DNA sequence: AATTACGCAACTCACAATGTTGCATAACGA
DNA sequence: TCGTTATGCAACATTGTGAGTTGCGTAATT
């Protein structure tokens, strides 16, 4: 089992959806196979992207997942935000010690600023990379009729 | 149980050591009480700081932990490095898929840069805050003879 | 010599994320 | 209209990781 694979899975799925020519809905099962996971996990993850308007889903026959926006309009920051990810985590003495000693309060203040700065930078950088940028980095396959990536 | 409390525990312990007047060794048990954990965890954590030369330990009677450097010379980045922490974690399809598909490789390259940038900034910012800076933020206690925090 | 405290290894415990199963619901096609 | 296919959702099982625990060895102080 991998920890924190949501982001990875989401990007993988989005990339496959965007790379598909001609575009057609991909089922959770198909995406799961590509990504080495199972359909339910795919639904859980893409469900979050759907709430943020990045993808749409269709039920029934010939249903599945589709991009809801152009690949140029989806940034890594969008995905990061849609999943509610927090790559920067420290849990400085979590929620439950309101009467924490004076030293603890001082520590919190001293470290939080650095974390907030780094997170802001991270989001800013992620926002500068679009799904289309990612696709441009993929070496072109031999076949021209159908792109078949793993 | 809290996740990733090592950094928090380490800083807490260092701050207590630095704040103590007059300086004397603190035992793992004492530090554990302050921090709401147990002596073995304290040893594990401070052991790492010791390897990096931030603290020293003395065995036997009146033994315990001491700062090995001045509070002005210990930065949060030192602690971060000593513990081998990685606040930025994403696990982009961990180690085990060497024949990963083309899309996966493209994703990795596209995301890694942003993560590396953010981590570099984080370390840079942590490096600008010393243990002494943290202590300066602690409101002075009433007693002048002995500082008793938590 | 007794006490104290670190050092280390093996084990247990708890939590969170992933994986699994079952069923309901909706859409498509014959 | 009925069967098939797919998402949506909830409940449960699995597993990996960090923290907690116990026991014993070793070194230093009194």
């Amino acid at each position: 089992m991998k920890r924190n694979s949501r982001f990875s899975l989401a990007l993988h799925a989005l990339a496959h959806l965007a790379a598909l020519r001609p575009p057609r809905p991909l089922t959770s099962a198909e995406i799961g196979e590509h990504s080495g996971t199972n359909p339910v996990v795919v639904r859980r993850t893409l469900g979050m992207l759907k709430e943020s308007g990045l993808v749409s889903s269709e039920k029934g026959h010939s249903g599945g997942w589709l991009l809801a926006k152009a690949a140029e309009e989806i940034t890594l920051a969008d995905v990061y935000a849609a999943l509610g990810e927090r790559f920067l985590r420290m849990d400085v003495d979590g929620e439950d010690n309101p009467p924490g000693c004076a030293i603890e309060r001082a520590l919190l203040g001293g470290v939080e600023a650095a974390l907030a700065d780094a997170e802001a930078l991270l989001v800013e950088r992620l926002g500068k990379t679009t799904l289309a940028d990612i696709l441009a980095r993929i070496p072109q396959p031999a076949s021209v009729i159908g792109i078949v990536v793993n």
Side-chain angles (χ1 to χ4, degrees), chain A:
Chain A
M1 190 195 348
K2 284 172 302 194
R3 291 186 52 173
N4 211 5
S5 58
R6 285 213 311 264
F7 191 70
S8 175
L9 169 59
L11 290 180
H12 200 151
L14 288 173
H16 274 285
L17 287 174
L20 212 57
R21 304 285 158 203
R24 67 172 175 87
L26 283 181
T27 68
S28 304
E30 287 173 305
I31 295 172
E33 260 183 70
H34 285 311
S35 309
T37 184
N38 64 73
V40 181
V41 175
V42 172
R43 282 184 199 118
R44 279 209 275 252
T45 304
L46 293 197
M48 296 189 190
L49 300 186
K50 183 181 174 182
E51 284 179 15
S52 297
L54 301 184
V55 298
S56 63
S57 65
E58 292 297 330
K59 289 187 171 184
H61 236 100
S62 70
W65 300 92
L66 284 170
L67 284 190
K69 306 169 67 174
E72 289 77 16
E73 294 172 352
I74 297 180
T75 72
L76 300 189
D78 294 329
V79 180
Y80 183 84
L83 296 178
E85 292 278 358
R86 298 301 301 272
F87 288 165
L88 275 146
R89 48 172 61 192
M90 169 169 129
D91 302 1
V92 192
D93 289 312
E95 67 285 0
D96 55 348
N97 46 357
C101 79
I103 281 184
E104 244 166 330
R105 282 191 296 275
L107 285 173
L108 252 157
V111 177
E112 263 179 358
L115 287 177
D117 278 7
E119 170 115 27
L121 179 73
L122 173 64
V123 171
E124 184 193 325
R125 293 281 280 99
L126 290 177
K128 286 182 180 166
T129 303
T130 69
L131 196 51
D133 295 332
I134 297 288
L135 291 180
R137 303 171 56 105
I138 301 176
Q140 287 308 311
S143 167
V144 187
I145 300 300
I147 292 183
V148 183
V149 264
N150 182 7

